[in-house]
Amino acid sequence: MLQKASDKFRVFLEKRVHFGVSRSQTSMARQSSKVEAIYELCKKTFSPSGSPPPSAEAVSKLSSLLDAIHPADVGLKEENPDDDRGLGFFRDNLNRVSRWTQPITYLNLYEGDSFTMCIFCFPTSSVIPLHDHPGMTVFSKVLYGSLHVRAYDWVEPSQESKGSNYFPVRLAKLAADKVVTAPCGTSVLYPKRGGNLHSFTAVTPCAVLDILTPPYREDLGRKCTYYRDYPYTAFPTEIKVEEEKEEEYAWLGETEPNIYMREGNYTGPIIQI
């Protein structure tokens, strides 16, 4: 059953579970050591507080491991671009309907106090709206397909304004507006740079492996907040930029997300906790 996931998405990413696979998976033979190697490096590197942040050396080591990951290494089969459902192993269980009603599939590899490992499987044209990662570092690796990424960082010092209905908005600078197609390298965003606020739109069926550190946790100030972006010229500001650079800036206002998502079963190699 499809669920409107404004709350469900937060539950997926904010819950704190200290196991990475279901008990029914414990008898499955290990297919590859790549996933466990990534888990072991994350366990050695990351802390629950996110402080100190991962070093440049640690980021490079983890990125190198993620660069070598392929769909088969995590139990996925690359989707045919002509099949716009992007649901991987769910394709035999669902009737073909309009791609607009197909959910994004969330796969949990591991969740703990220090980091989360998860995969999002996107049908064509599905969207994870613009959202933030407060105080977090996030590694993203497109496993197959093509994904449009639009990302921002906050302008510092903070510049705020109000819309015609008196809702607050804050100025951000565009960090990325591009299509990423597998095979490709790992992208990394940081608490204050690298596109900490981003949205994903599936150009084709695609899958993204994410590692978030530390994970979302609202009681520690790491709540996932969603935004809508508005043109720079939509609101008054004391910051003046050259006209040809206005498209590099946008006002972001909080909004409620509209996401359709379902939780799937991770069928890749076991992570031994």
Side-chain angles (χ1 to χ4, degrees):
M1 180 177 180
L2 300 183
Q3 298 187 25
K4 189 171 182 179
S6 57
D7 295 324
K8 184 67 172 175
F9 183 59
R10 291 191 179 103
V11 170
F12 283 154
L13 296 184
E14 291 176 1
K15 64 182 180 180
R16 298 173 60 229
V17 182
H18 297 277
F19 52 88
V21 294
S22 64
R23 292 181 181 178
S24 63
Q25 291 175 287
T26 57
S27 61
M28 184 176 64
R30 186 176 303 178
Q31 301 173 23
S32 170
S33 63
K34 289 183 180 180
V35 170
E36 194 161 14
I38 290 171
Y39 163 78
E40 290 294 340
L41 180 56
C42 289
K43 186 174 68 172
K44 295 176 182 177
T45 303
F46 302 138
S47 67
S49 67
S51 181
S55 65
E57 181 181 6
V59 169
S60 178
K61 285 183 178 179
L62 181 53
S63 295
S64 294
L65 290 182
L66 288 168
D67 287 348
I69 286 285
H70 299 95
D73 296 321
V74 289
L76 293 180
K77 180 180 178 181
E78 183 168 352
E79 290 294 318
N80 184 338
D82 294 330
D83 180 352
D84 61 8
R85 288 168 290 178
L87 297 175
F89 45 84
F90 288 106
R91 60 179 172 271
D92 295 328
N93 299 324
L94 294 175
N95 294 325
R96 179 178 290 275
V97 293
S98 168
R99 68 189 181 193
W100 301 105
T101 63
Q102 294 293 345
I104 297 168
T105 302
Y106 174 91
L107 306 178
N108 170 46
L109 280 66
Y110 171 80
E111 296 185 50
D113 287 339
S114 298
F115 64 96
T116 292
M117 296 173 61
C118 59
I119 296 172
F120 297 93
C121 298
F122 294 77
T124 300
S125 299
S126 59
V127 177
I128 293 181
L130 187 64
H131 61 283
D132 65 354
H133 307 82
M136 300 160 64
T137 301
V138 180
F139 298 76
S140 296
K141 174 63 164 54
V142 177
L143 299 171
Y144 64 78
S146 295
L147 184 73
H148 178 247
V149 179
R150 188 171 178 86
Y152 296 94
D153 288 309
W154 294 121
V155 169
E156 298 291 353
S158 176
Q159 298 291 323
E160 298 181 355
S161 186
K162 288 187 176 180
S164 58
N165 294 324
Y166 301 100
F167 61 90
V169 292
R170 183 176 172 185
L171 193 62
K173 191 176 190 300
L174 188 66
D177 188 11
K178 62 184 179 180
V179 173
V180 181
T181 300
C184 58
T186 301
S187 63
V188 186
L189 65 82
Y190 300 90
K192 294 185 180 297
R193 61 185 176 89
N196 186 271
L197 304 97
H198 66 199
S199 64
F200 289 161
T201 303
V203 178
T204 69
C206 59
V208 181
L209 170 61
D210 269 1
I211 297 176
L212 303 90
T213 180
Y216 286 114
R217 187 172 163 185
E218 188 169 348
D219 63 332
L220 294 179
R222 297 193 299 270
K223 175 185 176 182
C224 183
T225 303
Y226 291 84
Y227 296 88
R228 177 181 173 184
D229 52 355
Y230 301 88
Y232 167 80
T233 55
F235 304 104
T237 178
E238 295 180 359
I239 293 183
K240 302 300 180 184
V241 300
E242 297 176 14
E243 185 174 350
E244 60 270 19
K245 294 185 178 181
E246 289 180 355
E247 292 187 357
E248 297 179 14
Y249 294 85
W251 295 100
L252 307 186
E254 292 187 21
T255 188
E256 285 298 318
N258 184 13
I259 315 173
Y260 285 89
M261 188 175 296
R262 66 175 294 165
E263 188 166 17
N265 293 317
Y266 169 63
T267 61
I270 298 169
I271 296 176
Q272 298 288 351
I273 307 302

